[in-house]
Amino acid sequence: MTTFVQDAPSTGNPYVEDRVLRAFLKRVLPESVLDRIDPGLSRFGERVVHEVEGLGRMAESAPPVHVPFDAWGNRIDRVDVSGAWLDLERISAEEGLVAIGYERSHGPWSRIEQFVKLYLFSPSSAIYACPLAMTDGAARLIEVYGDVWLKENILPRFTTRDPSRFLTSGQWMTERTGGSDVGGSLTVARLEADGYRLYGNKWFASAVTAPVAMTLARTEGAPEGSRGLSLFFVEALDERGKFRDIQLIRLKDKTGTRALPTAELELAGTRGRLVGDVGHGVRKIATLFNITRVYNTIVAVSFMRKAVALAKDYAHRRAAFGSLLRELPAHLETLASLEVACRGGFALAFRLAELLGKEETGEASSGEKALLRLLTPVCKLFTARQAVTVVSEAVECIGGVGYLEESSMGPLLRDAHVLPIWEGTTNILALDTLRALRKEDAYGPFVHDATQRLESSSAPQLTQAIARVRDALHALDTYMERAAGEPPEFHQAGARELAIALAETYAATLLIEHANWALSCGLDDAAVLAARRWCSGLRTAWTIPDVAHRAVSRALGLDEPMFSSPARAPCP
Ligand code: MFK
């Protein structure tokens, strides 16, 4: 019988061990803010290891159950979630995972403290980040559009640290007509004697045990499309936790996010409180989904960091071919590329957090506001795709055991796949990038911000990398000039590559800025190496989606004929 047993990979306090995170905080935060938050983050890192990690595993292994009827045949539609899921809610409140962003004790830096905590929490929390994202988005909606009642009675409960008062919110946006084309929503809002009542079907309602939700419905007689939709606040559950005029059709059997109850709901005269005026529901709810898209970005980079930390640790333990994995050149190349990817994604995610904090506290310039609007879809789409690739590669680094449910990699791999779908797919966000460029004129602020970062970085070790980024910026300029006279099909076909190029180029400028700082204070050598490697891989030219290119895509994508014979002749 073999006696060989391999050590399992493990990680310690995710705050203490994350050099990239700590260096970033040291560079960006005023010293007084860092001094105030550092002990709390170290403590929370311990709590993640010793408490959250175990609860996350328990919640994963005890998914929610829908109990449609009681023993006597009464429709009850109860959703039973695990005790671990409820504990994750309690911890979220105690730790202020939503509250910190609204207490604003550190002004614009509060969003950074909050998102660092989310980053530490989310990869171990069975995606409890999802209800937090929607609650945060709903809180911001109330700040921007809510009436006095919502501001006095609901907002304080979204943003409390008292678990007994903490309220989470759902966001019911997706209908059978589509998660992307929200303007086609069919739910109707009828003005009855006691106010608006909603009738319709919500096809993907996540965190369905949240007592309240934000949703869209069309008032009677309102025009078609997104402008005819209105935004409503719904008190979905009564004091006993029972649905009010809502039938739960079924819980979704999802590939991942297993602990999170996502349901199909039938709204059968559900009371809705109008948020803001009638109409323009999509424009309003964009305030919410721009917040959840920032969450998605932070969650993506947190998944990457955890998966890569485990893969790196394993390389020190696992022996094969007579040496540890860390000595194998091919494996080392993989680990290095994963590290570079993590650093690029991290830089984007926390720049977004920084901009959001500034905007919400009135400290953002008009250029920074436009940049935030542009970077929100860009960072979400880029990091979500990165997370799928990086987590998958990290699982491969661990091998067969990484593919087992028992290893913590399984849930990460499954959950990573929701990131490019939830809150807007990659293509929808690429189109939103075009919307931001068009409506906010955001390209000028983007170039200005990127160029400033390069100009403030003068370390000779970065000269070549900086030259490469300048080439990438030049290529972007060339594309934008060419695109200016082209029809919508050109813009749409090129949107995804454009958004990715914006993300890669902007991340390069952030990595260079960070590396320049690291050199100046003798910290984190890897910052310089990562910046150089990221920049060496930057694309400085890409596909031009002109008529010929689109014709080929049509032939390939739809199996349509393109050439006349003989190319079309059947194979002999
Ligand atoms: C983690 C657990 C997950 C569990 C499983 C979940 C599985 C997945 C379930 C899902 O279905 S997730 C899908 C969630 N859905 C979304 O995130 C929406 C995706 N679709 C979009 O974002 C579309 O781009 C959009 C609905 C906005 C398109 O709507 P329209 O009406 O065709 O676009 P239009 O007319 O350009 O925009 C309407 C208004 O909104 C405009 O303002 P005005 O009325 O002032 O002109 C836009 O400027 C504004 N707007 C749109 N996007 C915006 C925005 N404003 C600010 N920021 C944005 N991002």
Side-chain angles (χ1 to χ4, degrees):
M1 199 177 89
T2 177
T3 52
F4 180 77
V5 175
Q6 192 62 56
D7 266 0
S10 69
T11 51
N13 182 321
Y15 176 65
V16 172
E17 290 189 351
D18 194 329
R19 282 194 306 157
V20 178
L21 167 63
R22 290 166 67 91
F24 166 80
L25 294 178
K26 196 167 170 52
R27 177 171 64 82
V28 166
L29 293 181
E31 210 177 322
S32 59
V33 174
L34 183 55
D35 286 349
R36 261 182 287 156
I37 67 174
D38 180 74
L41 294 176
S42 290
R43 179 200 49 74
F44 184 53
E46 287 301 310
R47 192 170 193 190
V48 168
V49 177
H50 298 295
E51 204 174 343
V52 175
E53 186 79 37
L55 290 171
R57 264 200 299 273
M58 276 154 59
E60 280 285 335
S61 60
V65 176
H66 175 209
V67 183
F69 298 101
D70 70 8
W72 313 104
N74 299 303
R75 182 102 205 183
I76 54 168
D77 280 332
R78 203 178 68 227
V79 177
D80 292 338
V81 293
S82 66
W85 184 253
L86 298 175
D87 282 338
L88 289 165
E89 177 172 318
R90 174 180 52 77
I91 291 171
S92 302
E94 287 169 358
E95 295 289 344
L97 290 183
V98 176
I100 294 169
Y102 292 84
E103 291 163 355
R104 301 190 177 123
S105 317
H106 317 297
W109 311 113
S110 298
R111 278 292 192 185
I112 292 198
E113 184 196 5
Q114 179 197 10
F115 287 132
V116 168
K117 285 186 110 169
L118 179 74
Y119 172 82
L120 302 174
F121 176 79
S122 77
S124 302
S125 72
I127 210 121
Y128 199 82
C130 170
L132 297 178
M134 297 190 296
T135 304
D136 195 326
R140 188 69 188 139
L141 260 186
I142 293 179
E143 274 197 336
V144 175
Y145 293 108
D147 57 27
V148 174
W149 185 85
L150 287 169
K151 283 184 175 152
E152 287 183 352
N153 294 286
I154 302 301
L155 183 58
R157 295 198 57 195
F158 287 160
T159 56
T160 178
R161 290 181 187 240
D162 174 357
S164 67
R165 297 197 63 239
F166 184 50
L167 199 61
T168 54
S169 176
Q171 161 220 2
W172 307 338
M173 203 158 53
T174 298
E175 299 197 2
R176 287 171 191 241
T177 40
S180 297
D181 189 4
V182 176
S185 297
L186 298 173
T187 296
V188 172
R190 284 195 203 130
L191 192 52
E192 299 184 0
D194 57 352
Y196 281 105
R197 296 237 169 213
L198 313 186
Y199 299 85
N201 181 281
K202 297 291 173 182
W203 180 237
F204 272 92
S206 275
V208 80
T209 48
V212 300
M214 292 288 180
T215 195
L216 296 171
R218 200 174 305 281
T219 51
E220 286 180 300
E224 288 187 353
S226 66
R227 286 177 185 80
L229 292 169
S230 295
L231 178 64
F232 291 92
F233 169 79
V234 169
E235 291 184 79
L237 303 179
D238 66 18
E239 310 69 43
R240 293 165 300 139
K242 214 171 164 303
F243 281 110
R244 291 184 159 115
D245 303 310
I246 295 171
Q247 198 173 88
L248 194 152
I249 309 297
R250 61 173 170 160
L251 288 180
K252 298 284 196 189
D253 184 9
K254 290 167 293 171
T255 300
T257 66
R258 297 262 182 87
L260 170 74
T262 301
E264 285 171 48
L265 299 177
E266 188 66 33
L267 309 188
T270 315
R271 283 197 69 169
R273 184 185 189 90
L274 199 57
V275 183
D277 302 333
V278 171
H280 294 285
V282 168
R283 186 206 295 166
K284 292 191 191 99
I285 209 165
T287 298
L288 184 157
F289 63 59
N290 283 337
I291 296 277
T292 54
R293 287 171 185 177
V294 179
Y295 268 73
N296 206 99
T297 305
I298 302 287
V299 170
V301 297
S302 80
F303 277 25
M304 289 194 264
R305 178 46 75 199
K306 181 169 181 185
V308 172
L310 286 165
K312 283 184 163 186
D313 182 70
Y314 196 56
H316 292 276
R317 300 172 188 270
R318 175 69 166 161
F321 304 108
S323 68
L324 290 171
L325 295 188
R326 68 175 196 194
E327 303 302 336
L328 300 176
H331 196 69
L332 215 47
E333 289 303 310
T334 303
L335 291 181
S337 70
L338 291 177
E339 177 62 29
V340 173
C342 273
R343 284 175 179 254
F346 177 91
L348 288 172
F350 278 88
R351 173 67 179 141
L352 201 54
E354 193 183 344
L355 285 168
L356 181 66
K358 280 183 123 179
E359 196 235 18
E360 290 174 342
T361 52
E363 294 199 15
S365 65
S366 58
E368 285 173 324
K369 285 183 198 163
L371 190 60
L372 171 66
R373 174 68 186 89
L374 174 66
L375 288 180
T376 301
V378 163
C379 294
K380 191 279 189 187
L381 78 86
F382 184 73
T383 56
R385 276 269 133 236
Q386 264 194 317
V388 172
T389 314
V390 166
V391 173
S392 161
E393 189 83 67
V395 168
E396 193 176 329
C397 287
I398 295 184
V401 180
Y403 191 59
L404 297 183
E405 272 302 299
E406 300 157 81
S407 77
S408 50
M409 305 298 270
L412 273 189
L413 182 62
R414 286 190 273 101
D415 291 1
H417 278 268
V418 87
L419 299 174
I421 298 171
W422 190 59
E423 301 310 309
T425 62
T426 309
N427 283 348
I428 286 295
L429 290 162
L431 298 177
D432 192 46
T433 303
L434 297 183
R435 193 187 277 110
L437 287 167
R438 193 180 62 243
K439 288 193 79 169
E440 312 295 325
D441 220 354
Y443 186 63
F446 171 88
V447 173
H448 175 73
D449 192 276
T451 310
Q452 268 201 331
R453 271 165 225 289
L454 297 183
E455 281 169 1
S456 63
S457 304
S458 54
Q461 295 91 325
L462 296 167
T463 307
Q464 244 183 322
I466 291 172
R468 182 90 188 172
V469 186
R470 288 197 191 282
D471 289 346
L473 282 168
H474 180 68
L476 273 169
D477 283 346
T478 308
Y479 179 87
M480 296 298 280
E481 276 164 27
R482 162 85 202 255
E486 298 286 350
E489 304 85 68
F490 179 100
H491 291 265
Q492 291 175 22
R496 188 178 180 122
E497 280 217 55
L498 173 63
I500 291 170
L502 290 169
E504 288 174 346
T505 309
Y506 194 68
T509 68
L510 295 168
L511 290 172
I512 283 177
E513 180 190 38
H514 185 71
N516 191 68
W517 168 83
L519 279 166
S520 72
C521 56
L523 274 175
D524 195 11
D525 285 352
V528 180
L529 306 175
R532 284 195 200 150
R533 201 164 267 196
W534 182 279
C535 294
S536 70
L538 265 190
R539 284 180 304 170
T540 52
W542 64 89
T543 316
I544 296 297
D546 56 14
V547 175
H549 175 87
R550 297 201 303 275
V552 172
S553 299
R554 199 170 171 84
L556 291 172
L558 302 176
D559 296 328
E560 281 183 0
M562 184 165 174
F563 304 111
S564 50
S565 58
R568 280 180 60 199
C571 292

